[in-house]
């Protein structure tokens, strides 16, 4: 809100002479004209006092209590996320419940897991866009990529200090900050525990409350576990839509805790149950890849072409070798494959 206060001060310095001139003119006018001049001055001062005047038009504001448009979120998840009924359900329930709670006990922590190209980054983008119009470009959305921000083993103590400082500083400026950690499976073991105090059930730490912040972890770790469960379901003659969160979540959390390449190896975040949801992203099948191609055509402003979508989807590689059930790269290379055909 500091930026808002600075903006208010600046615009008042700009408008003050205008208001003063209107009031000066009003003194020399007859009653009716005087009333019009005073009303105009009041309108200017009143308009500037409303956040709608500057928030979103002139500056980006941290509106902590801005309500979530749950209908828009539901539509985005339905129309943009393919083959992920569990992720759709969990993300929708978690976000709407958290945003409707005026006094949450702790920040929302979501850990998204699955093979590459299944939609993890896409969902974090959808969440950001539904909270802030600028989405991932918002100054209140912060992305950390392990291989970029924390590349060196010998600098772990420094990274821990920097990470705490970044989160503390950004949350003190905006309580509704979003922190996204990508490539968690490449993060050094123990580093993520530096943020444990911010995810815990503290009312505040040194005068800063973190309870309205959102933390999202993205990882390929656990993808093999999820795929094996899906393959067992398929071999058992069950539909993927029959898979429930309870079938996956516990297996996933235990697997990550014991995997020294997960970023959560023996992590206090898991041990202390500070991650609210482990969200599995299921491997995509041919029909889902085809939907991704059609969505990419729409994104490019082109007409949907079922035949073209099928050709592009067939060029993707699938596994296991005997039944070619799951796309190896999900929808990650769809755009490049489509460009070859266009």
């Amino acid at each position: 809100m500091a930026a808002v206060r600075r903006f208010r001060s600046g615009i008042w310095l700009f408008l003050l002479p205008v208001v003063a001139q209107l009031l000066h003119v009003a003194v020399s006018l007859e009653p009716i004209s005087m009333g019009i001049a005073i009303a105009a001055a009041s309108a200017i001062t009143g308009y500037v006092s409303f956040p709608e005047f500057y928030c979103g038009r002139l500056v980006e504001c941290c509106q902590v209590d801005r309500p979530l448009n749950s209908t828009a979120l539901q539509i985005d998840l339905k129309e943009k996320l393919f083959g992920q009924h569990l992720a759709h359900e969990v993300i929708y329930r978690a976000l709407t419940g958290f945003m409707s709670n005026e006094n949450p006990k702790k920040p929302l922590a979501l850990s998204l897991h699955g093979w590459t190209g299944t939609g993890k980054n896409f969902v974090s983008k959808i969440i950001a866009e539904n909270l802030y119009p600028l989405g991932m470009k918002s100054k209140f959305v912060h992305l950390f990529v392990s291989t970029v921000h924390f590349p060196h083993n010998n600098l772990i103590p420094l990274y821990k200090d920097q990470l705490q400082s970044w989160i503390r500083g950004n949350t003190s400026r905006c309580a509704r900050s979003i922190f996204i950690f990508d490539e968690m499976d490449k993060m050094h073991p123990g580093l993520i525990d530096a943020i444990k105090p911010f995810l815990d059930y503290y009312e505040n730490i040194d005068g800063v409350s973190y309870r309205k912040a959102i933390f999202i972890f993205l990882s390929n770790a656990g993808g093999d576990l999820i795929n094996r469960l899906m393959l067992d379901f398929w071999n058992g003659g069950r539909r993927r839509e029959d898979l429930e969160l309870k079938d996956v979540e516990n297996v996933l959390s235990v697997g990550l805790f014991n995997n020294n390449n997960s970023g959560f190896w023996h992590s206090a975040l898991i041990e202390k149950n500070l991650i609210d949801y482990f969200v599995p992203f299921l491997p995509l099948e041919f029909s889902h890849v085809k939907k991704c191609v059609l969505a990419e055509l729409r994104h490019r402003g082109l007409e949907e072409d079922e035949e073209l979508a099928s050709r592009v989807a067939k060029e993707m590689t699938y596994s296991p070798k005997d039944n070619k059930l799951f796309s190896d790269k999900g929808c990650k290379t769809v755009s490049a494959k489509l460009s070859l055909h266009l």
Side-chain angles (χ1 to χ4, degrees):
M1 296 304 291
V4 174
R5 288 194 293 269
R6 288 195 297 272
F7 172 78
R8 280 180 172 175
S9 300
I11 198 137
W12 266 115
L13 289 174
F14 174 76
L15 289 176
L16 191 58
V18 178
V19 175
Q21 184 64 29
L22 283 170
L23 293 176
H24 175 72
V25 170
V27 173
S28 61
L29 297 175
E30 69 276 9
I32 294 178
S33 298
M34 182 185 297
I36 294 173
I38 291 175
S42 299
I44 291 174
T45 57
Y47 191 53
V48 173
S49 67
F50 284 100
E52 289 80 0
F53 175 73
Y54 43 83
C55 289
R57 297 183 182 182
L58 300 172
V59 296
E60 186 188 20
C61 300
C62 173
Q63 299 184 48
V64 178
D65 299 317
R66 179 186 178 207
L68 174 71
N69 186 335
S70 58
T71 302
L73 174 63
Q74 183 78 283
I75 292 173
D76 278 348
L77 292 171
K78 181 178 180 180
E79 295 184 351
K80 300 177 182 179
L81 185 65
F82 307 120
Q84 303 297 350
H85 70 283
L86 290 180
H88 182 153
E89 179 186 358
V90 175
I91 296 297
Y92 178 77
R93 286 194 291 108
L95 204 58
T96 53
F98 182 73
M99 294 293 291
S100 64
N101 187 350
E102 296 182 0
N103 187 28
K105 299 297 182 184
K106 66 179 291 296
L108 177 63
L110 303 169
S111 196
L112 317 184
H113 298 270
W115 263 2
T116 183
T118 51
K120 302 183 298 295
N121 289 86
F122 201 59
V123 161
S124 62
K125 181 174 177 285
I126 288 175
I127 292 174
E129 289 173 348
N130 275 271
L131 266 63
Y132 291 105
L134 293 179
M136 297 298 293
K137 295 180 180 179
S138 169
K139 61 185 177 182
F140 307 120
V141 178
H142 312 281
L143 174 65
F144 301 96
V145 181
S146 296
T147 52
V148 175
H149 295 96
F150 318 113
H152 304 296
N153 273 324
N154 60 328
L155 296 178
I156 300 302
L158 174 62
Y159 294 152
K160 287 184 176 182
D161 290 341
Q162 288 179 336
L163 192 52
Q164 290 185 339
S165 178
W166 289 333
I167 292 175
R168 185 183 303 111
N170 285 299
T171 310
S172 64
R173 285 190 288 272
C174 178
R176 188 69 80 192
S177 291
I178 303 175
F179 300 98
I180 302 171
F181 295 85
D182 197 6
E183 298 185 345
M184 277 296 300
D185 48 304
K186 297 178 178 64
M187 184 173 283
H188 305 292
L191 175 55
I192 200 62
D193 281 354
I195 72 170
K196 185 250 179 198
F198 308 127
L199 289 180
D200 219 326
Y201 290 82
Y202 298 118
E203 187 170 344
N204 66 73
I205 301 174
D206 294 332
V208 179
S209 174
Y210 299 89
R211 292 182 167 189
K212 291 190 175 182
I214 297 175
F215 292 80
I216 304 173
F217 308 100
L218 312 178
S219 178
N220 291 342
D224 290 339
L225 288 171
I226 296 168
N227 292 356
R228 281 200 296 271
L229 281 171
M230 272 300 306
L231 192 57
D232 290 342
F233 252 60
W234 187 82
N235 288 330
R238 303 173 68 183
R239 302 180 310 131
R240 65 188 288 131
E241 290 76 13
D242 293 333
L243 191 69
E244 299 180 20
L245 186 63
K246 64 182 181 181
D247 298 321
V248 189
E249 195 169 31
N250 187 57
V251 174
L252 191 55
S253 63
V254 171
L256 295 170
F257 186 77
N258 293 310
N259 182 354
N260 60 1
N261 291 317
S262 70
F264 289 109
W265 183 65
H266 290 184
S267 171
L269 303 189
I270 294 180
E271 188 177 17
K272 301 298 182 182
N273 298 310
L274 297 179
I275 295 179
D276 300 295
Y277 298 96
F278 290 92
V279 186
F281 280 69
L282 310 180
L284 299 184
E285 300 174 19
F286 174 84
S287 61
H288 308 125
V289 177
K290 184 177 175 181
K291 289 180 180 179
C292 290
V293 180
L294 293 172
E296 180 64 20
L297 285 170
R298 291 195 299 271
H299 176 71
R300 298 188 186 194
L302 302 173
E303 187 177 345
E304 292 187 21
D305 187 329
E306 292 281 342
E307 184 181 345
L308 174 60
S310 294
R311 288 205 309 271
V312 174
K314 285 177 181 177
E315 289 186 3
M316 307 292 282
T317 57
Y318 296 84
S319 61
K321 291 182 179 180
D322 53 347
N323 54 33
K324 308 273 185 201
L325 186 61
F326 304 133
S327 171
D328 291 330
K329 297 179 182 178
C331 288
K332 196 156 192 174
T333 59
V334 157
S335 180
K337 292 281 188 184
L338 179 61
S339 294
L340 293 175
H341 287 267
L342 295 177

